[in-house]
Amino acid sequence: MSAHHYALSHEMSDIKQRVSCVSRSVQQNTNNIQALHSRLHESEQHAEMLEYEHRVQSELRRNNLKITGLREEARESTIALINKILITLNDNFESASFSFDDFDDAKRVGRRSQDSSRPRPVIVSFCRHESVMSVMSSRSEREKLARSDGIRF
């Protein structure tokens, strides 16, 4: 074997090693790209789920109404609170009639102050948006209730 043939053989071996190294690098990059595609797909699905959840929450919030000034009792249950709201609405809103079935939930929000006699606000969740609109469209009745009892919607 001549020196020239030996040099070519050595160079060929070196090229094969470099090709093998590049091939492994390409395979590793391909695996990384596939992993990134998978993570991107998962992120897109998660974003779609969050967007859907946001739309649902927005739709549910449409049915909420904040009431301030409604007298607060010690250890007030949700049913007692809804009954109090029901009586207040039916006694003061002639344009609409409400029943217990119109309500989904009611809860006080915020911390109860030990030294304050001011009641915490109430978030009322109605079953239908039309119930919220019937309260909000009765401006004169809301103003009368605010002046007489300090209850605001």
PDB file of all heavy atoms in Angstrom, residues 39-60:
ATOM      1  N   ARG A  39     -44.721  19.493  22.405  1.00  0.00           N
ATOM      2  CA  ARG A  39     -44.979  20.496  23.443  1.00  0.00           C
ATOM      3  C   ARG A  39     -45.816  21.645  22.909  1.00  0.00           C
ATOM      4  O   ARG A  39     -46.698  22.165  23.607  1.00  0.00           O
ATOM      5  CB  ARG A  39     -43.663  21.015  24.020  1.00  0.00           C
ATOM      6  CG  ARG A  39     -42.992  19.990  24.922  1.00  0.00           C
ATOM      7  CD  ARG A  39     -41.650  20.412  25.455  1.00  0.00           C
ATOM      8  NE  ARG A  39     -41.663  21.712  26.103  1.00  0.00           N
ATOM      9  CZ  ARG A  39     -40.568  22.408  26.358  1.00  0.00           C
ATOM     10  NH1 ARG A  39     -39.385  21.933  26.020  1.00  0.00           N
ATOM     11  NH2 ARG A  39     -40.644  23.578  26.949  1.00  0.00           N
ATOM     12  N   LEU A  40     -45.554  22.041  21.661  1.00  0.00           N
ATOM     13  CA  LEU A  40     -46.343  23.101  21.043  1.00  0.00           C
ATOM     14  C   LEU A  40     -47.802  22.672  20.908  1.00  0.00           C
ATOM     15  O   LEU A  40     -48.717  23.442  21.215  1.00  0.00           O
ATOM     16  CB  LEU A  40     -45.771  23.457  19.664  1.00  0.00           C
ATOM     17  CG  LEU A  40     -46.554  24.485  18.850  1.00  0.00           C
ATOM     18  CD1 LEU A  40     -46.581  25.831  19.565  1.00  0.00           C
ATOM     19  CD2 LEU A  40     -45.946  24.626  17.461  1.00  0.00           C
ATOM     20  N   HIS A  41     -48.027  21.445  20.479  1.00  0.00           N
ATOM     21  CA  HIS A  41     -49.386  20.925  20.343  1.00  0.00           C
ATOM     22  C   HIS A  41     -50.090  20.916  21.703  1.00  0.00           C
ATOM     23  O   HIS A  41     -51.250  21.332  21.810  1.00  0.00           O
ATOM     24  CB  HIS A  41     -49.350  19.526  19.727  1.00  0.00           C
ATOM     25  CG  HIS A  41     -50.699  18.927  19.514  1.00  0.00           C
ATOM     26  ND1 HIS A  41     -51.589  19.417  18.592  1.00  0.00           N
ATOM     27  CD2 HIS A  41     -51.316  17.891  20.134  1.00  0.00           C
ATOM     28  CE1 HIS A  41     -52.700  18.716  18.643  1.00  0.00           C
ATOM     29  NE2 HIS A  41     -52.563  17.773  19.562  1.00  0.00           N
ATOM     30  N   GLU A  42     -49.388  20.470  22.740  1.00  0.00           N
ATOM     31  CA  GLU A  42     -49.965  20.467  24.091  1.00  0.00           C
ATOM     32  C   GLU A  42     -50.280  21.888  24.541  1.00  0.00           C
ATOM     33  O   GLU A  42     -51.333  22.134  25.139  1.00  0.00           O
ATOM     34  CB  GLU A  42     -48.998  19.802  25.073  1.00  0.00           C
ATOM     35  CG  GLU A  42     -48.856  18.313  24.904  1.00  0.00           C
ATOM     36  CD  GLU A  42     -47.752  17.733  25.781  1.00  0.00           C
ATOM     37  OE1 GLU A  42     -47.181  18.469  26.620  1.00  0.00           O
ATOM     38  OE2 GLU A  42     -47.456  16.536  25.624  1.00  0.00           O
ATOM     39  N   SER A  43     -49.376  22.822  24.250  1.00  0.00           N
ATOM     40  CA  SER A  43     -49.603  24.224  24.632  1.00  0.00           C
ATOM     41  C   SER A  43     -50.799  24.807  23.896  1.00  0.00           C
ATOM     42  O   SER A  43     -51.587  25.557  24.481  1.00  0.00           O
ATOM     43  CB  SER A  43     -48.361  25.064  24.342  1.00  0.00           C
ATOM     44  OG  SER A  43     -47.288  24.655  25.145  1.00  0.00           O
ATOM     45  N   GLU A  44     -50.945  24.475  22.626  1.00  0.00           N
ATOM     46  CA  GLU A  44     -52.093  24.957  21.859  1.00  0.00           C
ATOM     47  C   GLU A  44     -53.391  24.398  22.418  1.00  0.00           C
ATOM     48  O   GLU A  44     -54.392  25.117  22.526  1.00  0.00           O
ATOM     49  CB  GLU A  44     -51.940  24.590  20.385  1.00  0.00           C
ATOM     50  CG  GLU A  44     -50.884  25.395  19.664  1.00  0.00           C
ATOM     51  CD  GLU A  44     -50.578  24.891  18.263  1.00  0.00           C
ATOM     52  OE1 GLU A  44     -50.926  23.728  17.943  1.00  0.00           O
ATOM     53  OE2 GLU A  44     -49.991  25.667  17.483  1.00  0.00           O
ATOM     54  N   GLN A  45     -53.383  23.115  22.786  1.00  0.00           N
ATOM     55  CA  GLN A  45     -54.578  22.510  23.386  1.00  0.00           C
ATOM     56  C   GLN A  45     -54.898  23.171  24.717  1.00  0.00           C
ATOM     57  O   GLN A  45     -56.064  23.443  25.029  1.00  0.00           O
ATOM     58  CB  GLN A  45     -54.381  21.007  23.580  1.00  0.00           C
ATOM     59  CG  GLN A  45     -54.455  20.199  22.315  1.00  0.00           C
ATOM     60  CD  GLN A  45     -54.235  18.721  22.571  1.00  0.00           C
ATOM     61  OE1 GLN A  45     -53.484  18.332  23.462  1.00  0.00           O
ATOM     62  NE2 GLN A  45     -54.889  17.894  21.777  1.00  0.00           N
ATOM     63  N   HIS A  46     -53.872  23.435  25.514  1.00  0.00           N
ATOM     64  CA  HIS A  46     -54.066  24.087  26.813  1.00  0.00           C
ATOM     65  C   HIS A  46     -54.625  25.503  26.606  1.00  0.00           C
ATOM     66  O   HIS A  46     -55.538  25.923  27.330  1.00  0.00           O
ATOM     67  CB  HIS A  46     -52.742  24.128  27.585  1.00  0.00           C
ATOM     68  CG  HIS A  46     -52.856  24.691  28.954  1.00  0.00           C
ATOM     69  ND1 HIS A  46     -53.507  24.025  29.970  1.00  0.00           N
ATOM     70  CD2 HIS A  46     -52.416  25.856  29.483  1.00  0.00           C
ATOM     71  CE1 HIS A  46     -53.458  24.757  31.065  1.00  0.00           C
ATOM     72  NE2 HIS A  46     -52.797  25.870  30.792  1.00  0.00           N
ATOM     73  N   ALA A  47     -54.098  26.228  25.620  1.00  0.00           N
ATOM     74  CA  ALA A  47     -54.590  27.578  25.331  1.00  0.00           C
ATOM     75  C   ALA A  47     -56.054  27.542  24.890  1.00  0.00           C
ATOM     76  O   ALA A  47     -56.853  28.394  25.307  1.00  0.00           O
ATOM     77  CB  ALA A  47     -53.725  28.233  24.258  1.00  0.00           C
ATOM     78  N   GLU A  48     -56.418  26.570  24.079  1.00  0.00           N
ATOM     79  CA  GLU A  48     -57.815  26.429  23.649  1.00  0.00           C
ATOM     80  C   GLU A  48     -58.714  26.137  24.837  1.00  0.00           C
ATOM     81  O   GLU A  48     -59.816  26.678  24.940  1.00  0.00           O
ATOM     82  CB  GLU A  48     -57.941  25.318  22.613  1.00  0.00           C
ATOM     83  CG  GLU A  48     -57.395  25.667  21.254  1.00  0.00           C
ATOM     84  CD  GLU A  48     -57.422  24.490  20.293  1.00  0.00           C
ATOM     85  OE1 GLU A  48     -58.031  23.445  20.595  1.00  0.00           O
ATOM     86  OE2 GLU A  48     -56.810  24.617  19.214  1.00  0.00           O
ATOM     87  N   MET A  49     -58.243  25.272  25.746  1.00  0.00           N
ATOM     88  CA  MET A  49     -59.027  24.944  26.933  1.00  0.00           C
ATOM     89  C   MET A  49     -59.206  26.188  27.819  1.00  0.00           C
ATOM     90  O   MET A  49     -60.303  26.450  28.322  1.00  0.00           O
ATOM     91  CB  MET A  49     -58.341  23.834  27.724  1.00  0.00           C
ATOM     92  CG  MET A  49     -59.136  23.356  28.920  1.00  0.00           C
ATOM     93  SD  MET A  49     -58.311  22.049  29.847  1.00  0.00           S
ATOM     94  CE  MET A  49     -56.913  22.930  30.507  1.00  0.00           C
ATOM     95  N   LEU A  50     -58.141  26.982  27.992  1.00  0.00           N
ATOM     96  CA  LEU A  50     -58.239  28.196  28.797  1.00  0.00           C
ATOM     97  C   LEU A  50     -59.177  29.212  28.154  1.00  0.00           C
ATOM     98  O   LEU A  50     -59.953  29.877  28.852  1.00  0.00           O
ATOM     99  CB  LEU A  50     -56.853  28.810  28.991  1.00  0.00           C
ATOM    100  CG  LEU A  50     -55.907  28.063  29.921  1.00  0.00           C
ATOM    101  CD1 LEU A  50     -54.535  28.724  29.928  1.00  0.00           C
ATOM    102  CD2 LEU A  50     -56.469  27.975  31.326  1.00  0.00           C
ATOM    103  N   GLU A  51     -59.122  29.320  26.842  1.00  0.00           N
ATOM    104  CA  GLU A  51     -60.010  30.236  26.139  1.00  0.00           C
ATOM    105  C   GLU A  51     -61.467  29.815  26.312  1.00  0.00           C
ATOM    106  O   GLU A  51     -62.346  30.639  26.571  1.00  0.00           O
ATOM    107  CB  GLU A  51     -59.648  30.271  24.659  1.00  0.00           C
ATOM    108  CG  GLU A  51     -60.434  31.279  23.863  1.00  0.00           C
ATOM    109  CD  GLU A  51     -60.019  31.306  22.404  1.00  0.00           C
ATOM    110  OE1 GLU A  51     -58.819  31.136  22.128  1.00  0.00           O
ATOM    111  OE2 GLU A  51     -60.911  31.496  21.558  1.00  0.00           O
ATOM    112  N   TYR A  52     -61.722  28.511  26.190  1.00  0.00           N
ATOM    113  CA  TYR A  52     -63.079  27.999  26.393  1.00  0.00           C
ATOM    114  C   TYR A  52     -63.545  28.270  27.826  1.00  0.00           C
ATOM    115  O   TYR A  52     -64.666  28.718  28.060  1.00  0.00           O
ATOM    116  CB  TYR A  52     -63.123  26.496  26.093  1.00  0.00           C
ATOM    117  CG  TYR A  52     -64.440  25.860  26.439  1.00  0.00           C
ATOM    118  CD1 TYR A  52     -65.552  26.057  25.625  1.00  0.00           C
ATOM    119  CD2 TYR A  52     -64.583  25.088  27.588  1.00  0.00           C
ATOM    120  CE1 TYR A  52     -66.778  25.486  25.951  1.00  0.00           C
ATOM    121  CE2 TYR A  52     -65.800  24.519  27.916  1.00  0.00           C
ATOM    122  CZ  TYR A  52     -66.892  24.727  27.098  1.00  0.00           C
ATOM    123  OH  TYR A  52     -68.094  24.177  27.426  1.00  0.00           O
ATOM    124  N   GLU A  53     -62.653  28.006  28.792  1.00  0.00           N
ATOM    125  CA  GLU A  53     -62.988  28.230  30.201  1.00  0.00           C
ATOM    126  C   GLU A  53     -63.281  29.707  30.447  1.00  0.00           C
ATOM    127  O   GLU A  53     -64.213  30.052  31.181  1.00  0.00           O
ATOM    128  CB  GLU A  53     -61.821  27.763  31.072  1.00  0.00           C
ATOM    129  CG  GLU A  53     -62.132  27.722  32.538  1.00  0.00           C
ATOM    130  CD  GLU A  53     -60.981  27.123  33.315  1.00  0.00           C
ATOM    131  OE1 GLU A  53     -60.633  25.957  33.076  1.00  0.00           O
ATOM    132  OE2 GLU A  53     -60.438  27.844  34.170  1.00  0.00           O
ATOM    133  N   HIS A  54     -62.508  30.577  29.821  1.00  0.00           N
ATOM    134  CA  HIS A  54     -62.739  32.016  29.958  1.00  0.00           C
ATOM    135  C   HIS A  54     -64.107  32.415  29.401  1.00  0.00           C
ATOM    136  O   HIS A  54     -64.827  33.205  30.019  1.00  0.00           O
ATOM    137  CB  HIS A  54     -61.623  32.793  29.252  1.00  0.00           C
ATOM    138  CG  HIS A  54     -61.823  34.270  29.263  1.00  0.00           C
ATOM    139  ND1 HIS A  54     -61.678  35.026  30.403  1.00  0.00           N
ATOM    140  CD2 HIS A  54     -62.182  35.130  28.281  1.00  0.00           C
ATOM    141  CE1 HIS A  54     -61.945  36.287  30.126  1.00  0.00           C
ATOM    142  NE2 HIS A  54     -62.249  36.373  28.843  1.00  0.00           N
ATOM    143  N   ARG A  55     -64.462  31.856  28.239  1.00  0.00           N
ATOM    144  CA  ARG A  55     -65.777  32.156  27.660  1.00  0.00           C
ATOM    145  C   ARG A  55     -66.902  31.679  28.573  1.00  0.00           C
ATOM    146  O   ARG A  55     -67.891  32.384  28.770  1.00  0.00           O
ATOM    147  CB  ARG A  55     -65.909  31.510  26.279  1.00  0.00           C
ATOM    148  CG  ARG A  55     -65.191  32.250  25.184  1.00  0.00           C
ATOM    149  CD  ARG A  55     -65.627  31.787  23.790  1.00  0.00           C
ATOM    150  NE  ARG A  55     -65.652  30.347  23.614  1.00  0.00           N
ATOM    151  CZ  ARG A  55     -64.647  29.625  23.136  1.00  0.00           C
ATOM    152  NH1 ARG A  55     -63.522  30.209  22.788  1.00  0.00           N
ATOM    153  NH2 ARG A  55     -64.759  28.327  22.994  1.00  0.00           N
ATOM    154  N   VAL A  56     -66.738  30.489  29.136  1.00  0.00           N
ATOM    155  CA  VAL A  56     -67.765  29.958  30.040  1.00  0.00           C
ATOM    156  C   VAL A  56     -67.877  30.831  31.286  1.00  0.00           C
ATOM    157  O   VAL A  56     -68.977  31.183  31.715  1.00  0.00           O
ATOM    158  CB  VAL A  56     -67.453  28.485  30.419  1.00  0.00           C
ATOM    159  CG1 VAL A  56     -68.319  28.014  31.570  1.00  0.00           C
ATOM    160  CG2 VAL A  56     -67.632  27.578  29.211  1.00  0.00           C
ATOM    161  N   GLN A  57     -66.728  31.210  31.872  1.00  0.00           N
ATOM    162  CA  GLN A  57     -66.749  32.058  33.064  1.00  0.00           C
ATOM    163  C   GLN A  57     -67.373  33.422  32.763  1.00  0.00           C
ATOM    164  O   GLN A  57     -68.128  33.954  33.580  1.00  0.00           O
ATOM    165  CB  GLN A  57     -65.327  32.232  33.618  1.00  0.00           C
ATOM    166  CG  GLN A  57     -64.746  30.993  34.239  1.00  0.00           C
ATOM    167  CD  GLN A  57     -65.526  30.549  35.461  1.00  0.00           C
ATOM    168  OE1 GLN A  57     -66.025  31.354  36.243  1.00  0.00           O
ATOM    169  NE2 GLN A  57     -65.656  29.246  35.616  1.00  0.00           N
ATOM    170  N   SER A  58     -67.056  33.969  31.604  1.00  0.00           N
ATOM    171  CA  SER A  58     -67.647  35.256  31.217  1.00  0.00           C
ATOM    172  C   SER A  58     -69.159  35.137  31.085  1.00  0.00           C
ATOM    173  O   SER A  58     -69.902  36.021  31.508  1.00  0.00           O
ATOM    174  CB  SER A  58     -67.060  35.739  29.886  1.00  0.00           C
ATOM    175  OG  SER A  58     -65.702  36.017  30.034  1.00  0.00           O
ATOM    176  N   GLU A  59     -69.589  34.033  30.501  1.00  0.00           N
ATOM    177  CA  GLU A  59     -71.036  33.808  30.349  1.00  0.00           C
ATOM    178  C   GLU A  59     -71.705  33.676  31.716  1.00  0.00           C
ATOM    179  O   GLU A  59     -72.786  34.210  31.941  1.00  0.00           O
ATOM    180  CB  GLU A  59     -71.270  32.557  29.503  1.00  0.00           C
ATOM    181  CG  GLU A  59     -72.701  32.318  29.133  1.00  0.00           C
ATOM    182  CD  GLU A  59     -73.269  33.369  28.191  1.00  0.00           C
ATOM    183  OE1 GLU A  59     -72.528  33.973  27.416  1.00  0.00           O
ATOM    184  OE2 GLU A  59     -74.495  33.574  28.253  1.00  0.00           O
ATOM    185  N   LEU A  60     -71.055  32.985  32.629  1.00  0.00           N
ATOM    186  CA  LEU A  60     -71.620  32.828  33.970  1.00  0.00           C
ATOM    187  C   LEU A  60     -71.644  34.158  34.715  1.00  0.00           C
ATOM    188  O   LEU A  60     -72.591  34.450  35.445  1.00  0.00           O
ATOM    189  CB  LEU A  60     -70.835  31.790  34.768  1.00  0.00           C
ATOM    190  CG  LEU A  60     -70.992  30.340  34.316  1.00  0.00           C
ATOM    191  CD1 LEU A  60     -70.056  29.431  35.097  1.00  0.00           C
ATOM    192  CD2 LEU A  60     -72.431  29.878  34.469  1.00  0.00           C
TER     193      LEU A  60
END
